[in-house]
Amino acid sequence: MPTQATLCYLLFIATVISASTPTSPTEKLTHLHFYFHEVDSGPNSTVVTSATLHHNTTFGDINLFDNTLRVGPQPDSTLIGGAQGMGVHAALDGSQGLTAINFFFTAGEYNGSSLATLGVIKKSGPSDRNIIGGTGKFRFARGYMLSKLVNSTATTIVVEFDMYIMHF
């Protein structure tokens, strides 16, 4: 005959096993493709340099931004969300920087969801950065994003993004 302590132990083990058994749907891969639009000057500027060392280099500068996400590279294409974050000029030679960006979606299937990212952006060529979390439909998100400059003028920048997200 089992003792009361043994029964409590068995009940505890059964609870731990049932609590650790996955009951959620299987993980899925989502691919998102969109364009990041930044306005660099004028009254509608979406980026600001919040810290600079002014030593004839950009090393140490910190930029904050609140940019739009659109379906296409045209400034009047459908708005699907925004990207808020910061870029730090972290390479002595100016060839790359560190970005922390929160992408949030305000339209379509992912309305109300967001993705948190972190990684190095290269001054030339495509950049490959980490997706480190998410909210809404992207809870438990992880993955990567590829970005490349599409267009750059004296006042605007357009960047193409491809995100590959694993989430539940």
PDB file of all heavy atoms in Angstrom, residues 148-165:
ATOM      1  N   LYS A 148      17.722  44.971 -48.325  1.00  0.00           N
ATOM      2  CA  LYS A 148      18.628  45.614 -49.278  1.00  0.00           C
ATOM      3  C   LYS A 148      18.054  46.961 -49.685  1.00  0.00           C
ATOM      4  O   LYS A 148      16.833  47.139 -49.780  1.00  0.00           O
ATOM      5  CB  LYS A 148      18.886  44.734 -50.493  1.00  0.00           C
ATOM      6  CG  LYS A 148      17.683  44.479 -51.365  1.00  0.00           C
ATOM      7  CD  LYS A 148      18.042  43.594 -52.550  1.00  0.00           C
ATOM      8  CE  LYS A 148      16.800  43.307 -53.364  1.00  0.00           C
ATOM      9  NZ  LYS A 148      17.042  42.445 -54.483  1.00  0.00           N
ATOM     10  N   LEU A 149      18.941  47.886 -49.898  1.00  0.00           N
ATOM     11  CA  LEU A 149      18.571  49.237 -50.311  1.00  0.00           C
ATOM     12  C   LEU A 149      18.003  49.189 -51.725  1.00  0.00           C
ATOM     13  O   LEU A 149      18.608  48.616 -52.630  1.00  0.00           O
ATOM     14  CB  LEU A 149      19.796  50.150 -50.260  1.00  0.00           C
ATOM     15  CG  LEU A 149      19.568  51.605 -50.614  1.00  0.00           C
ATOM     16  CD1 LEU A 149      18.650  52.270 -49.601  1.00  0.00           C
ATOM     17  CD2 LEU A 149      20.899  52.323 -50.694  1.00  0.00           C
ATOM     18  N   VAL A 150      16.826  49.785 -51.908  1.00  0.00           N
ATOM     19  CA  VAL A 150      16.181  49.842 -53.221  1.00  0.00           C
ATOM     20  C   VAL A 150      16.397  51.205 -53.856  1.00  0.00           C
ATOM     21  O   VAL A 150      16.689  51.323 -55.034  1.00  0.00           O
ATOM     22  CB  VAL A 150      14.665  49.556 -53.099  1.00  0.00           C
ATOM     23  CG1 VAL A 150      13.954  49.786 -54.413  1.00  0.00           C
ATOM     24  CG2 VAL A 150      14.439  48.148 -52.606  1.00  0.00           C
ATOM     25  N   ASN A 151      16.251  52.264 -53.042  1.00  0.00           N
ATOM     26  CA  ASN A 151      16.348  53.619 -53.564  1.00  0.00           C
ATOM     27  C   ASN A 151      16.811  54.555 -52.450  1.00  0.00           C
ATOM     28  O   ASN A 151      16.350  54.439 -51.317  1.00  0.00           O
ATOM     29  CB  ASN A 151      14.985  54.059 -54.114  1.00  0.00           C
ATOM     30  CG  ASN A 151      15.058  55.365 -54.851  1.00  0.00           C
ATOM     31  OD1 ASN A 151      16.098  55.729 -55.401  1.00  0.00           O
ATOM     32  ND2 ASN A 151      13.956  56.093 -54.873  1.00  0.00           N
ATOM     33  N   SER A 152      17.683  55.471 -52.809  1.00  0.00           N
ATOM     34  CA  SER A 152      18.154  56.462 -51.854  1.00  0.00           C
ATOM     35  C   SER A 152      18.291  57.800 -52.567  1.00  0.00           C
ATOM     36  O   SER A 152      18.951  57.893 -53.596  1.00  0.00           O
ATOM     37  CB  SER A 152      19.509  56.036 -51.279  1.00  0.00           C
ATOM     38  OG  SER A 152      19.992  56.999 -50.391  1.00  0.00           O
ATOM     39  N   THR A 153      17.617  58.818 -52.028  1.00  0.00           N
ATOM     40  CA  THR A 153      17.733  60.185 -52.556  1.00  0.00           C
ATOM     41  C   THR A 153      18.252  61.075 -51.443  1.00  0.00           C
ATOM     42  O   THR A 153      18.549  60.596 -50.341  1.00  0.00           O
ATOM     43  CB  THR A 153      16.361  60.705 -53.044  1.00  0.00           C
ATOM     44  OG1 THR A 153      15.520  60.908 -51.903  1.00  0.00           O
ATOM     45  CG2 THR A 153      15.701  59.742 -54.018  1.00  0.00           C
ATOM     46  N   ALA A 154      18.319  62.351 -51.704  1.00  0.00           N
ATOM     47  CA  ALA A 154      18.771  63.293 -50.682  1.00  0.00           C
ATOM     48  C   ALA A 154      17.807  63.361 -49.504  1.00  0.00           C
ATOM     49  O   ALA A 154      18.190  63.760 -48.406  1.00  0.00           O
ATOM     50  CB  ALA A 154      18.953  64.679 -51.292  1.00  0.00           C
ATOM     51  N   THR A 155      16.538  62.942 -49.724  1.00  0.00           N
ATOM     52  CA  THR A 155      15.543  63.079 -48.657  1.00  0.00           C
ATOM     53  C   THR A 155      14.872  61.778 -48.230  1.00  0.00           C
ATOM     54  O   THR A 155      14.219  61.751 -47.198  1.00  0.00           O
ATOM     55  CB  THR A 155      14.438  64.066 -49.085  1.00  0.00           C
ATOM     56  OG1 THR A 155      13.832  63.577 -50.289  1.00  0.00           O
ATOM     57  CG2 THR A 155      15.001  65.460 -49.312  1.00  0.00           C
ATOM     58  N   THR A 156      14.993  60.709 -49.016  1.00  0.00           N
ATOM     59  CA  THR A 156      14.291  59.461 -48.678  1.00  0.00           C
ATOM     60  C   THR A 156      15.167  58.235 -48.896  1.00  0.00           C
ATOM     61  O   THR A 156      16.117  58.261 -49.681  1.00  0.00           O
ATOM     62  CB  THR A 156      13.010  59.278 -49.525  1.00  0.00           C
ATOM     63  OG1 THR A 156      13.377  59.150 -50.894  1.00  0.00           O
ATOM     64  CG2 THR A 156      12.040  60.419 -49.333  1.00  0.00           C
ATOM     65  N   ILE A 157      14.800  57.184 -48.184  1.00  0.00           N
ATOM     66  CA  ILE A 157      15.434  55.872 -48.352  1.00  0.00           C
ATOM     67  C   ILE A 157      14.316  54.839 -48.409  1.00  0.00           C
ATOM     68  O   ILE A 157      13.373  54.891 -47.611  1.00  0.00           O
ATOM     69  CB  ILE A 157      16.381  55.548 -47.180  1.00  0.00           C
ATOM     70  CG1 ILE A 157      17.584  56.485 -47.191  1.00  0.00           C
ATOM     71  CG2 ILE A 157      16.834  54.094 -47.214  1.00  0.00           C
ATOM     72  CD1 ILE A 157      18.504  56.330 -45.994  1.00  0.00           C
ATOM     73  N   VAL A 158      14.428  53.898 -49.337  1.00  0.00           N
ATOM     74  CA  VAL A 158      13.489  52.785 -49.431  1.00  0.00           C
ATOM     75  C   VAL A 158      14.309  51.499 -49.352  1.00  0.00           C
ATOM     76  O   VAL A 158      15.272  51.322 -50.094  1.00  0.00           O
ATOM     77  CB  VAL A 158      12.665  52.824 -50.737  1.00  0.00           C
ATOM     78  CG1 VAL A 158      11.745  51.614 -50.825  1.00  0.00           C
ATOM     79  CG2 VAL A 158      11.869  54.118 -50.829  1.00  0.00           C
ATOM     80  N   VAL A 159      13.915  50.612 -48.419  1.00  0.00           N
ATOM     81  CA  VAL A 159      14.621  49.354 -48.208  1.00  0.00           C
ATOM     82  C   VAL A 159      13.631  48.206 -48.377  1.00  0.00           C
ATOM     83  O   VAL A 159      12.522  48.247 -47.835  1.00  0.00           O
ATOM     84  CB  VAL A 159      15.256  49.301 -46.791  1.00  0.00           C
ATOM     85  CG1 VAL A 159      15.979  47.978 -46.557  1.00  0.00           C
ATOM     86  CG2 VAL A 159      16.198  50.479 -46.587  1.00  0.00           C
ATOM     87  N   GLU A 160      14.032  47.183 -49.125  1.00  0.00           N
ATOM     88  CA  GLU A 160      13.211  45.994 -49.323  1.00  0.00           C
ATOM     89  C   GLU A 160      13.548  44.966 -48.238  1.00  0.00           C
ATOM     90  O   GLU A 160      14.713  44.713 -47.962  1.00  0.00           O
ATOM     91  CB  GLU A 160      13.499  45.398 -50.697  1.00  0.00           C
ATOM     92  CG  GLU A 160      12.677  44.176 -51.023  1.00  0.00           C
ATOM     93  CD  GLU A 160      12.972  43.643 -52.411  1.00  0.00           C
ATOM     94  OE1 GLU A 160      14.035  43.982 -52.990  1.00  0.00           O
ATOM     95  OE2 GLU A 160      12.140  42.873 -52.916  1.00  0.00           O
ATOM     96  N   PHE A 161      12.503  44.391 -47.629  1.00  0.00           N
ATOM     97  CA  PHE A 161      12.676  43.396 -46.571  1.00  0.00           C
ATOM     98  C   PHE A 161      12.027  42.070 -46.955  1.00  0.00           C
ATOM     99  O   PHE A 161      10.918  42.043 -47.485  1.00  0.00           O
ATOM    100  CB  PHE A 161      12.031  43.872 -45.263  1.00  0.00           C
ATOM    101  CG  PHE A 161      12.889  44.805 -44.471  1.00  0.00           C
ATOM    102  CD1 PHE A 161      12.863  46.163 -44.722  1.00  0.00           C
ATOM    103  CD2 PHE A 161      13.732  44.325 -43.475  1.00  0.00           C
ATOM    104  CE1 PHE A 161      13.660  47.024 -43.995  1.00  0.00           C
ATOM    105  CE2 PHE A 161      14.525  45.186 -42.746  1.00  0.00           C
ATOM    106  CZ  PHE A 161      14.490  46.536 -43.009  1.00  0.00           C
ATOM    107  N   ASP A 162      12.719  40.990 -46.654  1.00  0.00           N
ATOM    108  CA  ASP A 162      12.174  39.638 -46.694  1.00  0.00           C
ATOM    109  C   ASP A 162      12.401  39.056 -45.313  1.00  0.00           C
ATOM    110  O   ASP A 162      13.547  38.984 -44.852  1.00  0.00           O
ATOM    111  CB  ASP A 162      12.872  38.773 -47.743  1.00  0.00           C
ATOM    112  CG  ASP A 162      12.324  39.020 -49.130  1.00  0.00           C
ATOM    113  OD1 ASP A 162      11.163  38.634 -49.363  1.00  0.00           O
ATOM    114  OD2 ASP A 162      13.042  39.599 -49.963  1.00  0.00           O
ATOM    115  N   MET A 163      11.314  38.685 -44.632  1.00  0.00           N
ATOM    116  CA  MET A 163      11.407  38.093 -43.297  1.00  0.00           C
ATOM    117  C   MET A 163      10.958  36.639 -43.360  1.00  0.00           C
ATOM    118  O   MET A 163       9.951  36.332 -43.992  1.00  0.00           O
ATOM    119  CB  MET A 163      10.536  38.848 -42.295  1.00  0.00           C
ATOM    120  CG  MET A 163      11.008  40.217 -41.966  1.00  0.00           C
ATOM    121  SD  MET A 163       9.930  40.940 -40.698  1.00  0.00           S
ATOM    122  CE  MET A 163      11.055  42.094 -39.961  1.00  0.00           C
ATOM    123  N   TYR A 164      11.697  35.786 -42.684  1.00  0.00           N
ATOM    124  CA  TYR A 164      11.359  34.361 -42.588  1.00  0.00           C
ATOM    125  C   TYR A 164      11.189  34.063 -41.102  1.00  0.00           C
ATOM    126  O   TYR A 164      12.159  34.099 -40.340  1.00  0.00           O
ATOM    127  CB  TYR A 164      12.453  33.517 -43.219  1.00  0.00           C
ATOM    128  CG  TYR A 164      12.591  33.823 -44.692  1.00  0.00           C
ATOM    129  CD1 TYR A 164      13.430  34.841 -45.147  1.00  0.00           C
ATOM    130  CD2 TYR A 164      11.819  33.123 -45.632  1.00  0.00           C
ATOM    131  CE1 TYR A 164      13.533  35.134 -46.493  1.00  0.00           C
ATOM    132  CE2 TYR A 164      11.907  33.411 -46.986  1.00  0.00           C
ATOM    133  CZ  TYR A 164      12.778  34.419 -47.407  1.00  0.00           C
ATOM    134  OH  TYR A 164      12.860  34.721 -48.750  1.00  0.00           O
ATOM    135  N   ILE A 165       9.950  33.807 -40.688  1.00  0.00           N
ATOM    136  CA  ILE A 165       9.583  33.737 -39.275  1.00  0.00           C
ATOM    137  C   ILE A 165       9.058  32.359 -38.913  1.00  0.00           C
ATOM    138  O   ILE A 165       8.122  31.865 -39.540  1.00  0.00           O
ATOM    139  CB  ILE A 165       8.495  34.786 -38.952  1.00  0.00           C
ATOM    140  CG1 ILE A 165       8.917  36.155 -39.458  1.00  0.00           C
ATOM    141  CG2 ILE A 165       8.184  34.814 -37.461  1.00  0.00           C
ATOM    142  CD1 ILE A 165       7.897  36.810 -40.323  1.00  0.00           C
TER     143      ILE A 165
END
